[in-house]
Amino acid sequence: MNGSLLSVEHLVKTFALRGQLLHRSTGTVQAVSDVSFAVDRGETLSLVGESGCGKTTTARCVLRIVEPDSGSIVFDGVDLLRLAGEDMRRMRRRFQMVFQDPQASLNPRMTVRELLSEPLEVHGIGASEHEWTARVSELLDIVQLPQGAAARYPHQFSGGQRQRIGVARALAVNPDLLVLDEPVSALDVSIQAEIIKLLERLRTELDLGFLFIAHDLSVVRHISDRVAVMYLGRIVETGTATDVYEHSAHPYTQALLSAAPIPDPLVERARRRIVLTGEVPTQTAPPSGCRFRTRCWKATDRCAEEEPALVDPGIGHAVACHYPEPTNVIVQQSRMTTSP
């Protein structure tokens, strides 16, 4: 992880559960448990997993929207957890977030010009209204929106256009890293393709690092350089997109890939489906040892007694499993069209 734009090591975040009576603590939930990863400049790392696995909490800890309990978050050589006050505010210029639902994240009372000018004012970029107007015009060109959009309000745009505004707002302060929390999950498939193409272009042109949070495996494969699969707060497999999609070795990753829809009916009928049994354990009382063992067809007594380490067992990428078995789970390109 040395020399990475973002380096996260042994991140832990626990939330207290509060009862209705006097708001007393009734237990804890460890949403993120010993998570480590790195993102390089110009690279996209995707965190993948089902809802509630800790992806968004991890992203919010990285941005310090939520304060982690322990671990380290080093951004371009600076330990973010050692910063406070004005020092942290200045550093925030360099990493920004694009939220899942642009309708909820954009203030409906502000015009696009005001939305894009606000971060410039907050961070002291530009000294006059004329400079802010010029920057707003530039941002609209970058995300391919007409100049007339500046005078309109968020509700006057489509979902895809609103997400472009969200991306433009994140880019306003010239960040080095974008954290994208399910940025296309609320959009139609055809609009998803447009936003993904926009993000890929911006990453290349601006040399940005992306931390991409998603559950749609088709979208993730299309945009990612590396993928980290999360289950119950832990990363269970990580590697390049090719490693994870074509040579997955963790049973949970294989189950996720086998559930991804394939548009070719012949391939769909021929492939092996993995159907998991049992309920997803709660994070208030995760299973001992391997957290996936209660749903895993390979589980043995060792899995209950010993937690597997996230290491490379000699297959070229890291897997947290006592019995890794690389398998080529057939997953084709999604139905998302990417034609120009």
Side-chain angles (χ1 to χ4, degrees), residues 6 8 11 13 15 56-75 78-92 95-97 99 177 179 211:
L6 173 69
V8 176
L11 192 68
K13 179 59 185 177
F15 294 100
T56 296
T57 301
T58 299
R60 289 175 179 267
C61 285
V62 167
L63 297 172
R64 288 189 61 188
I65 297 173
V66 173
E67 291 293 333
D69 299 329
S70 62
S72 70
I73 304 170
V74 177
F75 182 82
V78 178
D79 189 346
L80 297 183
L81 298 183
R82 294 182 179 272
L83 300 181
E86 185 63 22
D87 291 335
M88 186 62 202
R89 191 183 74 83
R90 284 196 298 267
M91 183 60 75
R92 286 190 188 279
F95 46 87
Q96 293 290 307
M97 188 167 190
F99 295 91
L177 174 74
V179 177
L211 177 58

Side-chain angles (χ1 to χ4, degrees), residues 124-233:
I125 300 174
S128 67
E129 189 73 30
H130 175 74
E131 289 179 294
W132 292 345
T133 299
R135 178 58 174 162
V136 168
S137 177
E138 181 184 7
L139 289 168
L140 291 175
D141 285 339
I142 288 174
V143 298
Q144 299 173 334
L145 285 175
Q147 292 299 313
R152 295 160 62 188
Y153 290 87
H155 73 272
Q156 296 176 290
F157 296 90
S158 67
Q161 290 173 322
R162 281 195 291 266
Q163 195 60 288
R164 288 175 185 267
I165 296 169
V167 172
R169 182 177 62 176
L171 293 175
V173 293
N174 291 315
D176 297 301
L177 174 74
L178 285 189
V179 177
L180 303 121
D181 186 9
E182 306 256 15
V184 297
S185 63
L187 306 177
D188 292 339
V189 172
S190 59
I191 305 302
Q192 287 182 10
E194 295 179 7
I195 300 300
I196 291 299
K197 286 174 63 179
L198 170 67
L199 292 173
E200 288 183 315
R201 177 176 63 81
L202 293 175
R203 183 188 64 176
T204 301
E205 292 179 357
L206 303 178
D207 198 25
L208 296 169
F210 283 176
L211 177 58
F212 195 93
I213 312 298
H215 66 271
D216 188 329
L217 294 169
S218 299
V219 171
V220 167
R221 186 183 192 188
H222 186 75
I223 196 173
S224 303
D225 296 301
R226 291 186 298 113
V227 177
V229 181
M230 290 190 71
Y231 182 79
L232 282 186

Side-chain angles (χ1 to χ4, degrees), residues 28 38 152 162 237 249 278 291:
T28 60
R152 295 160 62 188
R162 281 195 291 266
E237 185 163 9
R291 297 190 174 194

